[in-house]
Amino acid sequence: MEHLQYGRYLKYSAIFFIAFLIIIAGLNVLVDPYSIYNSPKVDRFNSIKPEYSDHIRLVKTYAVKRIKPEAIILGTSRAIRGIDPEHEGWSYQPVYNLAILGANIYEIARYFQHANAIYPVKQVVLLLDFEAFDVYSVDTDFDELRLSVSLDGQKNGDFYIKDYISSLFSFDAFFSSINTIIYNLTNRTENTLIYEENGFCNAENLVISEGYRADFIDKEKNYIRELSQNKVRFYNPETGQNSFDYYRKILQIAYHDDIDLCMAISPNHVRLGEVYAAVGLWPEYEEWKRTLVKINEEEASLANKSPFALWDFSVYNEYTTETIPPAGDKDTEMKWHWEDSHFKKAFGDKVLDCIFSPQESGQNYFGVMITGENIEEHLNNIRTGRQNYRETHPQDVAEIEDILNAYRSEEPRLKSGGVNP
């Protein structure tokens, strides 16, 4: 009798467990919090996807598989929020913003390979960021097995199986679905980064509650702490990894496959350059630009083709030196920047105007196409622009120096564990 009851208990338990898994899987497919299954979007149910930011590598892996773009945007969060796939200058459609939050150049190269292996890419805009070339920078959410091809070009035909299973039955996916439903029911879109179907992140709902200057300073504190501790290192002597090898890989693929690649150094606010200089990275910053030019021209020569356009928008002009509202001003809006490193769509549109129609946009003022012939003159012009900025903006320079001095006074206690940063 007891044996029969125990058997009945196991049977019902198994039925309950299977039913529970079916309910979870059904809800996850219906809500589709990561847009893996292309489920219909229903207003006030799942039309807004708040889980995109925390699962951006997963989301964009399968968006490429679903959309099969002919043109893509590569880069970091700066490209996500600033470079618009809907700009009228694109030569091919559809366009997808495949930039990844916090990506290093290795990840960027790997997602480029992934997209090109799924469907041949014809046009690419690659936004280049100095910090992305730190060879030690690795995001724990990055998964090689998620991509459709290996670094050496071998196909991974089953790349989607692991994610399909986890997105169906995992508790993480289940809670993401619940959060998506709650988010849509309460319509909490204010102060939210909204990801569009084309991969672009619309930041227009952001509320700068403490004012832009406070945001600049907060960002600079983080940068000075991080860059002082870790710098930007291009080479890892223990593994032999060189971050420029992955930049070279992007170029090799683009030259080999006749992809229309255009590269641009991000149009950061010049205060970020002051941060680089403050932590002793200005020489590395200049050498980074020289190396970008050198490798581009080397690979072009090997491919017997003209070098791809390589633009530098980190120059000194009225856009990159935009005035920051004074401390305590919580109402004045900045037109071109969110803070040091993130520029607004309006600025990104000007970058694309210059890339797609350089003669019409005034290329010699807004951005400079850098080559082996003009790189030293260009770097010297930037040094002159920086000196002029420091002379005309003493308050901005002093603020960054104060942040650095505050960090240095705190650093011994940070190293000893006396302060929680």
Side-chain angles (χ1 to χ4, degrees):
M1 187 69 176
E2 289 182 3
H3 179 72
L4 290 174
Q5 288 178 339
Y6 182 68
R8 196 174 292 131
Y9 168 78
L10 290 178
K11 176 182 176 182
Y12 290 144
S13 295
I15 292 172
F16 174 80
F17 181 70
I18 293 171
F20 182 64
L21 288 179
I22 292 173
I23 291 171
I24 288 179
L27 180 67
N28 289 338
V29 170
L30 192 63
V31 178
D32 198 12
Y34 316 132
S35 290
I36 289 180
Y37 302 103
N38 203 24
S39 300
K41 289 188 174 182
V42 179
D43 190 36
R44 296 185 64 80
F45 178 67
N46 69 340
S47 60
I48 300 173
K49 308 287 188 178
E51 293 293 322
Y52 273 18
S53 290
D54 291 338
H55 301 82
I56 194 68
R57 288 163 175 78
L58 171 65
V59 169
K60 294 208 167 186
T61 297
Y62 294 95
V64 168
K65 182 175 182 291
R66 182 178 70 253
I67 296 171
K68 296 180 174 58
E70 293 195 5
I72 58 174
I73 297 158
L74 297 172
T76 66
S77 59
R78 296 167 187 171
I80 293 177
R81 291 164 58 173
I83 304 299
D84 188 5
E86 297 298 323
H87 189 279
E88 61 183 13
W90 292 98
S91 300
Y92 299 92
Q93 296 291 333
V95 185
Y96 186 74
N97 190 319
L98 190 53
I100 304 290
L101 296 170
N104 60 22
I105 191 62
Y106 177 76
E107 281 190 79
I108 293 169
R110 296 292 288 115
Y111 271 88
F112 174 42
Q113 286 183 285
H114 170 70
N116 196 43
I118 287 177
Y119 191 81
V121 174
K122 296 179 180 177
Q123 186 179 18
V124 176
V125 168
L126 168 60
L127 201 66
L128 295 163
D129 294 313
F130 178 49
E131 305 94 306
F133 279 70
D134 182 6
V135 75
Y136 289 91
S137 173
V138 179
D139 194 285
T140 56
D141 193 36
F142 175 67
D143 187 352
E144 290 277 1
L145 299 179
R146 176 172 287 154
L147 304 178
S148 62
V149 65
S150 65
L151 181 64
D152 61 3
Q154 297 298 311
K155 293 280 187 177
N156 177 18
D158 300 328
F159 72 93
Y160 55 87
I161 293 178
K162 174 185 173 184
D163 285 326
Y164 274 25
I165 293 173
S166 65
S167 65
L168 279 177
F169 300 110
S170 72
F171 281 106
D172 182 45
F174 175 71
F175 289 124
S176 291
S177 293
I178 297 297
N179 186 47
T180 299
I181 295 171
I182 294 173
Y183 194 95
N184 280 266
L185 284 173
T186 55
N187 197 28
R188 296 178 306 182
T189 58
E190 186 178 351
N191 205 25
T192 300
L193 296 174
I194 303 297
Y195 282 84
E196 299 174 357
E197 283 297 305
N198 58 22
F200 180 73
C201 180
N202 188 338
E204 295 307 311
N205 287 325
L206 282 184
V207 175
I208 311 299
S209 58
E210 298 302 317
Y212 280 88
R213 188 168 290 270
D215 272 23
F216 268 74
I217 292 172
D218 283 346
K219 190 74 172 180
E220 288 154 2
K221 287 178 179 178
N222 292 333
Y223 265 113
I224 283 176
R225 178 183 291 113
E226 180 64 28
L227 293 174
S228 294
Q229 293 174 357
N230 297 319
K231 303 297 183 181
V232 174
R233 301 142 297 181
F234 304 134
Y235 178 70
N236 183 341
E238 295 180 1
T239 64
Q241 284 182 297
N242 186 327
S243 57
F244 286 107
D245 289 343
Y246 309 123
Y247 167 69
R248 190 184 294 275
K249 183 76 171 179
I250 294 171
L251 293 170
Q252 289 172 344
I253 294 170
Y255 281 120
H256 181 271
D257 293 355
D258 290 321
I259 296 171
D260 179 9
L261 171 65
C262 186
M263 297 173 287
I265 296 172
S266 291
N268 306 313
H269 193 280
V270 296
R271 279 181 57 136
L272 184 58
E274 291 301 311
V275 169
Y276 294 155
V279 298
L281 284 175
W282 190 268
E284 287 83 355
Y285 186 43
E286 288 193 337
E287 190 60 29
W288 172 68
K289 293 182 180 182
R290 290 190 186 96
T291 308
L292 293 178
V293 170
K294 178 175 178 288
I295 292 175
N296 184 32
E297 296 185 350
E298 285 177 354
E299 291 303 322
S301 178
L302 290 171
N304 197 27
K305 295 180 180 179
S306 299
F308 290 124
L310 172 55
W311 291 86
D312 188 359
F313 292 101
S314 64
V315 296
Y316 285 73
N317 55 40
E318 66 183 84
Y319 305 99
T320 57
T321 63
E322 181 181 13
T323 299
I324 306 168
D329 184 345
K330 301 180 181 181
D331 299 319
T332 303
E333 290 281 331
M334 291 186 70
K335 186 173 183 180
W336 308 116
H337 296 271
W338 293 108
E339 19 74 6
D340 299 58
S341 68
H342 292 97
F343 54 93
K344 295 188 177 183
K345 175 185 174 299
F347 201 0
D349 286 344
K350 285 190 169 292
V351 168
L352 292 179
D353 288 343
C354 191
I355 286 173
F356 295 140
S357 303
Q359 300 306 321
E360 297 177 13
S361 61
Q363 60 171 318
N364 292 328
Y365 172 69
F366 184 71
V368 177
M369 192 182 296
I370 51 178
T371 66
E373 293 183 358
N374 72 357
I375 183 62
E376 293 306 325
E377 178 185 4
H378 172 65
L379 294 176
N380 186 59
N381 289 339
I382 288 180
R383 290 184 213 116
T384 301
R386 178 174 175 245
Q387 183 59 37
N388 291 337
Y389 178 81
R390 290 176 62 84
E391 292 173 358
T392 56
H393 294 75
Q395 178 188 353
D396 294 272
V397 174
E399 278 182 337
I400 292 171
E401 290 175 350
D402 288 345
I403 294 170
L404 179 65
N405 290 333
Y407 170 76
R408 285 175 172 168
S409 65
E410 204 177 64
E411 189 177 14
R413 288 181 291 160
L414 290 176
K415 290 180 177 179
S416 66
V419 174
N420 185 13

